[in-house]
Amino acid sequence: MFNRTRCLQITAALASISLLSGCGLFSDDGGNGEQRIVVGTTSAPTTLDPAAAWDGSWELYRNVYQTLLAFPTGATKPQPDAAQSCEFTDSGNESYRCTVRKGLKFSDGEPLDAKAVKHSLDRIKTIDAPSGPKALFGSLDKIETPDAQTVVFHLNTPDATFPFVLGSPAASLVSPKQYPADKLREGDKVTGSGPFTLESYKEGSEAVLNRNESYNGFANRRNGGATIRYFADSKKMIAALKGKEIDATYRGLSAEEVKDLQSPASHDAGVQVVENVGAEIRYLIFNPKDQQVSKVQVRQAIAQVVDRGALVSKVYQGTAEPLYSMVPKGVVGHKTPFYDTYGQPDVAKAKKTLKDAGIATPVDLTFWYTTDRYGASTADEFTELKRQLDESGLFRITLRGQPWKAFQEGYKKGEYPVFGRGWFPDFPDPDNFIAPFVGKENAVGTPYESAEILNVILPKSRRESDRSAGIHEFEKAQQIFADDVRLLPLWQGKLYVAARDDIAGAERALDPQTVMQLWELYRKTSW
């Protein structure tokens, strides 16, 4: 850990986290299992029912719900959690069998058995919530439960990524007694089998988590419980950290705040910053229903004008780097097709593209972004994008911001011609940076039915149990993205956990899905 003696060591890898090794005033003795931790974040859940969320709500889910498989820190493949074991039972990756651990119970005392697993996953497809994770289970045909401990997943197509989906919070297991099969659970209660139980919840304010004494899974809990405080304003969150009102923060720090927390003054005030190599990306989505951006030449011209280097330099100050593919650096198969296709920003080339297509300039467009989801720098990011496009003389951009819930409703209804989103991986595989964005129903709410990706590339790559064997297919998909410009990658960010210097475990607190594992945090004890 980074402590007052400032002894620092950093190593970087996609599925691991920067290790900050400490030497000094505190001993990392494994933690006091009775002490509670208070964590601040700007990413509040949109719902407590996992059938309705494919977003930052997973931060809470990972800590209160269990999944058959999971990704312990450092894992690149899913490992057993509620399952004792899982495996494909055929050579075509179309039948997947899991054996559930015996004796598991939900927090209401009901058994977590094969029937509960089937109920939990079937209801996702039955309810089909607009912002739910149904699309992740597109390959799932049906579930059979031959006995109380055995679950067999029959897939409608070969899918070597299915175990990765089962390891994500999308596959959170819920008590059939408390969660209806055909509608969402209402209220502010959670009934799961995860490392913690939800003692109380105040929407947009606080979640109080206690140790689940009946938990049986992979997590080694190193604290007595945790309280999550939700902040709409990252400045208030940082003030709470410096004022010792919270022990750690995650999500929503601006570049200026990260720089401030990394300063000698903050270190001397007892604050440490753990820098993590992450796969977080930001990108623009173009809605084909809009008359202007339905024209590929308009999208290509925007791709030709946007200066990612200037964007990350001015707005993110070293906390991000330019991204030229939807598959980020560090993920198997990463290429740079947007750079290879469009090169350096070039207004003259963009002007020619529009002129040759007979498109009058300036092109009027409205760019939408969320004001309270991705941190305080989002507004500055869109201001810089507007500046670049307006100064080209080819575009006239209007900016509009909305709180996350309203923003989400708007893009799902197709109301925005251009809008910005962030993506945190569901699982560490290149498929998860391609598949979620294509299809009639996808993660961004605007249909993108690329026949080659949907019918050829993804099916072929999913037949490969060795995920590195499908690299060529993912390279082709990335080039199709660059040619179509239905999505425009902007930057890839680093992830930061800021904490008081008596808090240990921050270097292990993020799993490969960049989801916070609260059980890893604990308070150091003095020598």
Side-chain angles (χ1 to χ4, degrees):
M1 298 298 297
F2 198 121
N3 57 30
R4 294 181 194 274
T5 59
R6 301 183 193 169
C7 175
L8 177 64
Q9 174 186 359
I10 299 179
T11 60
L14 168 67
S16 64
I17 297 175
S18 301
L19 303 179
L20 303 188
S21 61
C23 50
L25 302 180
F26 299 96
S27 63
D28 291 359
D29 62 354
N32 184 335
E34 300 303 317
Q35 293 189 341
R36 296 183 61 85
I37 301 296
V38 182
V39 176
T41 179
T42 60
S43 183
T46 54
T47 173
L48 298 183
D49 191 327
W54 190 0
D55 58 24
S57 303
W58 285 13
E59 212 77 66
L60 178 62
Y61 298 171
R62 176 55 80 202
N63 292 279
V64 296
Y65 293 111
Q66 204 169 7
T67 46
L68 286 172
L69 302 170
F71 290 91
T73 300
T76 57
K77 295 181 179 179
Q79 307 296 321
D81 186 10
Q84 178 179 319
S85 63
C86 291
E87 63 179 353
F88 278 106
T89 58
D90 66 328
S91 59
N93 295 333
E94 291 183 284
S95 182
Y96 196 69
R97 179 187 298 265
C98 289
T99 301
V100 182
R101 294 180 191 264
K102 290 185 178 181
L104 294 183
K105 292 183 180 298
F106 292 105
S107 56
D108 63 351
E110 292 295 307
L112 195 173
D113 54 14
K115 289 184 178 179
V117 173
K118 175 176 169 58
H119 172 85
S120 300
L121 301 187
D122 279 348
R123 67 189 296 269
I124 293 172
K125 302 187 79 170
T126 299
I127 295 171
D128 191 15
S131 300
K134 178 184 175 182
L136 280 173
F137 296 92
S139 64
L140 178 58
D141 183 24
K142 64 179 180 178
I143 303 173
E144 291 183 338
T145 55
D147 58 57
Q149 305 307 128
T150 304
V151 186
V152 181
F153 301 95
H154 295 284
L155 309 183
N156 52 35
T157 184
D159 187 1
T161 71
F162 187 71
F164 291 79
V165 176
L166 290 183
S168 75
S172 294
L173 303 176
V174 300
S175 171
K177 189 175 181 180
Q178 307 295 339
Y179 293 78
D182 57 356
K183 64 180 180 179
L184 297 175
R185 179 179 181 175
E186 298 179 353
D188 57 3
K189 303 296 182 182
V190 160
T191 308
S193 60
F196 300 100
T197 59
L198 183 65
E199 176 67 19
S200 64
Y201 179 75
K202 297 178 182 178
E203 185 175 359
S205 176
E206 181 181 85
V208 178
L209 280 57
N210 291 338
R211 286 174 67 107
N212 181 2
E213 298 305 330
S214 63
Y215 169 70
N216 182 8
F218 79 94
N220 177 24
R221 292 164 298 182
R222 308 178 80 177
N223 59 60
T227 297
I228 307 173
R229 287 185 56 191
Y230 300 111
F231 292 84
D233 186 339
S234 60
K235 292 181 180 179
K236 293 181 179 178
M237 182 172 69
I238 297 305
L241 177 67
K242 291 183 176 181
K244 301 183 181 181
E245 298 173 23
I246 61 176
D247 297 307
T249 71
Y250 180 52
R251 300 283 192 212
L253 299 178
S254 69
E256 291 80 4
E257 288 163 343
V258 170
K259 294 296 184 182
D260 173 62
L261 291 170
Q262 290 174 329
S263 70
S266 291
H267 295 160
D268 292 341
V271 175
Q272 59 173 311
V273 179
V274 179
E275 179 183 297
N276 306 300
V277 177
E280 171 192 7
I281 67 172
R282 298 290 169 83
Y283 56 98
L284 295 177
I285 301 103
F286 298 99
N287 187 346
K289 293 181 180 179
D290 181 81
Q291 182 178 1
Q292 294 284 36
V293 298
S294 65
K295 304 168 184 173
V296 67
Q297 295 86 354
V298 170
R299 306 194 300 267
Q300 290 172 339
I302 292 173
Q304 189 71 71
V305 170
V306 168
D307 188 338
R308 295 170 177 82
L311 176 66
V312 299
S313 175
K314 292 181 179 181
V315 179
Y316 292 102
Q317 304 174 33
T319 63
E321 58 183 312
L323 181 64
Y324 297 95
S325 169
M326 291 298 288
V327 178
K329 184 186 296 185
V331 175
V332 173
H334 164 75
K335 291 293 182 180
T336 57
F338 278 85
Y339 185 85
D340 301 338
T341 302
Y342 302 101
Q344 294 289 345
D346 192 319
V347 173
K349 286 184 179 180
K351 183 176 182 179
K352 184 176 187 302
T353 296
L354 294 172
K355 183 178 180 180
D356 290 350
I359 298 171
T361 58
V363 178
D364 288 300
L365 292 172
T366 300
F367 280 27
W368 291 79
Y369 63 93
T370 179
T371 57
D372 60 353
R373 194 65 178 177
Y374 303 124
S377 298
T378 305
D380 294 335
E381 174 182 334
F382 275 78
T383 298
E384 172 61 16
L385 288 171
K386 171 180 167 60
R387 183 196 66 78
Q388 293 181 12
L389 293 168
D390 283 354
E391 287 189 1
S392 73
L394 304 177
F395 299 93
R396 188 161 46 216
I397 306 300
T398 300
L399 299 181
R400 292 283 185 270
Q402 284 268 40
W404 174 251
K405 283 195 173 182
F407 176 80
Q408 195 175 38
E409 291 173 1
Y411 76 70
K412 286 290 184 181
K413 293 177 181 177
E415 295 176 353
Y416 309 150
V418 186
F419 58 101
R421 286 289 307 275
W423 183 253
F424 302 92
D426 302 314
F427 49 84
D429 188 275
D431 184 285
N432 196 235
F433 293 92
I434 301 293
F437 307 112
V438 294
K440 186 176 181 179
E441 297 179 358
N442 58 47
V444 297
T446 59
Y448 179 17
E449 299 183 72
S450 169
E452 185 173 0
I453 293 177
L454 289 167
N455 301 329
V456 180
I457 292 175
L458 290 176
K460 186 175 181 180
S461 69
R462 288 175 174 176
R463 293 188 184 98
E464 301 289 350
S465 296
D466 177 2
R467 302 306 296 146
S468 62
I471 287 177
H472 181 61
E473 301 306 318
F474 292 121
E475 290 175 352
K476 289 195 292 185
Q478 291 172 77
Q479 186 57 56
I480 291 171
F481 276 178
D483 294 338
D484 291 348
V485 202
R486 285 289 308 278
L487 307 111
L488 183 66
L490 297 172
W491 55 267
Q492 174 178 351
K494 301 173 184 177
L495 296 175
Y496 297 88
V497 175
R500 303 296 309 174
D501 63 4
D502 65 334
I503 298 298
E507 75 283 356
R508 293 182 53 82
L510 304 185
D511 71 6
Q513 300 160 306
T514 70
V515 171
M516 177 70 87
Q517 303 177 136
L518 293 175
W519 59 84
E520 293 285 2
L521 298 175
Y522 62 95
R523 202 174 307 281
K524 301 175 186 177
T525 56
S526 301
W527 284 348

